[in-house]
Amino acid sequence: MTSTSGLFRTKSVEQSIRDTDEPGSKLRKDLTAKDLTIFGVAVVIGAGIFTLTARTAGSVAGPAVSLAFVFAAIACGLTALCYAEFASTVPVAGSAYTFAYATFGEFIAWIIGWDLILEFALAVSVVAKGWSQYLGDVLGSTPVMHLGSVRFDWGAVVIIAVVGVLLATGTKLSSRVSAIAVAIKLGVIALVLVVGATYFKPSNLTPYIPPSQPAEDGASGLHQSLFSFLTGAGNTSFGWYGLLAAASLVFFAFIGFDVVATTAEETRNPQRDIPRGILGSLAIVTVLYIAVSLILTGMVSYTELADGNATLATAFAIHGDTWVKNIIAIGALAGLSTVVMVMYLGQTRVLFAMARDGLLPRSLAKTSSKGTPVRLTVFVGVVCALLAGFVDFGTLEEMVNIGTLVAFVMVAIGVLVLRRTRPDLPRGFRVPFVPVVPILGAAACLWLMLNLSIETWLRFVIWMALGVIVYFAYGRGHSVLGREKPPAAESELTPAR
């Protein structure tokens, strides 16, 4: 039931669902399981498949990079099951934020929402800058202007503006555009697999797990992983430590499937379609990642990919097929376009849910006649365009990773909490083997978090502290739930005898 007092006041699932029919802030239900699967594939497969695979194979795991993808997929799969149950039980915009509101209470929900703002805003801006770099490869010149001493990345701003217009027009149109872009990048990946298979030599896969050796660029100080700092272990390449480190690296190639859950309120049959969209897209991308990594490490020896700038195109260049580089650039442009779009969509839906609950200005939750939050879409676009256009992110990219993993852990734990507090709720999908699966999912994500740098952890703590200040300065006093009249005590309802 809803509790309306204290920091940990909870919002019932029933109230969350009732709020979706609120006049003036109602999203349009247009999406199907097919649309959600497209969104999932669109956001997960980006430039990482063309770059991260080669670099990880060459410097961290060798041919075992394909096994690293399997380990990462298992960790994602455990969490994806938890997202599927939550989204089918609470089919409301906001994803982990909304789930936390129903289980852990308002303060924790705010923290998760603030965390997701960090994840999505940085992801949109960082990926837009990556898109701009690939645009430079296609155009033959870098899409950057120098305004005095200021460097302006106009390519990144262009993709954010185009995506913003599409999202403001309607989620269904965005899904159709995503479908076209997904078809292009899947076609490029298919071409890479077919051409790469002609150079495949099983001998290149031996040894599958190369012997361990000290990492050449072992990080130290604030740049070392928290795991390395706490244990003194790690900072090695290849071997089993290298394989586990590689799993942490390639895990981030899967980031984004959780965005599918943010569209629950816009799905025609969320109880059935959300689980299908989340699990279906994860299955597709896992197969593609493993296939590409096997072909890559079978084409050339992993030692030929040791250059920190190695990409999938490097393997083809070794065989004299330099033309493939241009094909891969086109695939990366299509891939990153859809990543920007779906991350942008996720950011607006999380902010929409927080604004509708009053934790942010409620005026931001207004929807247009087409059922889209145009004000929020414009606001997010302006902020992300400024970040992408003028900020050089550097190591800030890891902030996306830690933000995502915190949300994953909370969702996994939240499944256990909601099973205990509300066993009566109808669930369109149920996580099997509870509590084992959620506990393993949370543990896997915590392990991956330990492999992030101390520097990233410190920045994350500062961002969260800022969020706590904003909550007490604005959110707590303007909360819709907090302004509701508390239910009368049981003694007040019972006539005196």
Side-chain angles (χ1 to χ4, degrees):
M1 297 296 111
T2 297
S3 168
T4 58
S5 61
L7 286 178
F8 301 101
R9 52 198 177 207
T10 57
K11 184 177 181 181
S12 71
V13 173
E14 291 83 359
Q15 181 60 51
S16 294
I17 294 174
R18 281 196 297 271
D19 286 349
T20 64
D21 289 325
E22 186 177 319
S25 58
K26 185 175 181 180
L27 297 172
R28 186 169 174 175
K29 295 182 181 293
D30 276 335
L31 303 178
T32 64
K34 179 182 176 182
D35 295 320
L36 299 179
T37 303
I38 289 171
F39 274 143
V41 175
V43 71
V44 176
I45 295 185
I49 197 169
F50 304 116
T51 57
L52 185 62
T53 306
R55 293 173 189 173
T56 305
S59 59
V60 184
V65 65
S66 54
L67 183 57
F69 272 112
V70 173
F71 287 168
I74 291 171
C76 284
L78 294 170
T79 313
L81 291 171
C82 298
Y83 266 94
E85 174 167 327
F86 249 129
S88 67
T89 308
V90 193
V92 179
S95 185
Y97 158 77
T98 301
F99 307 156
Y101 217 153
T103 51
F104 301 109
E106 182 175 282
F107 180 66
I108 301 300
W110 166 267
I111 291 295
I112 295 300
W114 189 253
D115 167 61
L116 291 175
I117 290 172
L118 171 74
E119 174 193 345
F120 291 135
L122 281 181
V124 170
S125 305
V126 168
V127 176
K129 291 184 81 70
W131 185 92
S132 181
Q133 290 175 356
Y134 277 100
L135 178 64
D137 290 342
V138 173
L139 297 178
S141 61
T142 307
V144 172
M145 293 173 56
H146 291 276
L147 308 174
S149 60
V150 178
R151 190 172 181 272
F152 176 63
D153 190 336
W154 62 264
V157 173
V158 166
I159 185 61
I160 290 174
V162 170
V163 166
V165 171
L166 286 172
L167 290 175
T169 303
T171 311
K172 190 66 176 179
L173 176 62
S174 304
S175 174
R176 290 170 181 163
V177 173
S178 287
I180 296 171
V182 166
I184 293 172
K185 65 182 173 184
L186 292 183
V188 170
I189 291 171
L191 177 66
V192 165
L193 291 174
V194 170
V195 176
T198 64
Y199 300 112
F200 187 87
K201 290 182 180 179
S203 59
N204 285 328
L205 299 180
T206 305
Y208 186 65
I209 302 179
S212 176
Q213 62 186 55
E216 293 181 5
D217 57 346
S220 60
L222 294 179
H223 300 293
Q224 67 181 314
S225 71
L226 184 60
F227 175 74
S228 178
F229 173 75
L230 293 175
T231 66
N235 280 342
T236 60
S237 296
F238 310 115
W240 281 100
Y241 266 129
L243 175 58
L244 293 174
S248 295
L249 290 173
V250 301
F251 170 84
F252 304 123
F254 289 93
I255 282 179
F257 73 84
D258 55 311
V259 179
V260 174
T262 69
T263 64
E265 194 172 323
E266 297 161 270
T267 304
R268 293 174 186 171
N269 188 345
Q271 285 77 13
R272 181 195 67 189
D273 293 343
I274 290 287
R276 290 182 180 181
I278 292 175
L279 300 176
S281 58
L282 188 59
I284 291 170
V285 301
T286 298
V287 170
L288 290 175
Y289 280 149
I290 294 172
V292 168
S293 59
L294 282 173
I295 289 293
L296 169 69
T297 51
M299 286 177 64
V300 297
S301 170
Y302 71 92
T303 57
E304 297 184 86
L305 301 172
D307 179 5
N309 295 318
T311 67
L312 198 55
T314 304
F316 287 95
I318 291 171
H319 288 286
D321 286 340
T322 54
W323 60 272
V324 177
K325 179 180 179 182
N326 295 327
I327 300 296
I328 289 176
I330 293 172
L333 273 178
L336 291 177
S337 297
T338 56
V339 176
V340 172
M341 178 179 292
V342 184
M343 286 293 188
Y344 193 145
L345 174 68
Q347 175 74 101
T348 59
R349 288 345 183 229
V350 170
L351 288 172
F352 172 82
M354 296 174 76
R356 186 166 59 189
D357 289 334
L359 301 183
L360 293 173
R362 294 203 75 202
S363 59
L364 292 174
K366 285 285 185 182
T367 53
S368 68
S369 58
K370 295 183 178 180
T372 57
V374 176
R375 291 182 185 180
L376 258 180
T377 303
V378 172
F379 173 74
V380 169
V382 170
V383 172
C384 290
L386 289 173
L387 287 172
F390 295 102
V391 178
D392 183 13
F393 288 93
T395 56
L396 282 177
E397 294 179 23
E398 275 200 6
M399 296 289 284
V400 178
N401 303 335
I402 195 169
T404 303
L405 286 166
V406 168
F408 283 8
V409 170
M410 297 305 293
V411 168
I413 297 172
V415 165
L416 298 178
V417 173
L418 201 61
R419 283 281 188 99
R420 185 175 182 84
T421 58
R422 295 299 307 275
D424 57 305
L425 286 173
R427 289 166 168 82
F429 176 86
R430 297 179 70 89
V431 176
F433 307 114
V434 170
V436 176
V437 168
I439 290 173
L440 288 177
C445 293
L446 286 170
W447 160 253
L448 294 168
M449 290 170 69
L450 285 174
N451 282 276
L452 296 174
S453 68
I454 297 174
E455 182 180 27
T456 297
W457 277 91
L458 291 175
R459 287 172 174 168
F460 180 71
V461 169
I462 292 171
W463 173 258
M464 288 293 107
L466 179 61
V468 171
I469 293 171
V470 174
Y471 174 73
F472 283 104
Y474 182 88
R476 190 182 187 196
H478 291 80
S479 166
V480 172
L481 186 62
R483 291 184 172 189
E484 289 181 0
K485 185 178 179 181
E490 186 176 348
S491 59
E492 295 174 351
L493 297 175
T494 305
R497 294 182 179 178

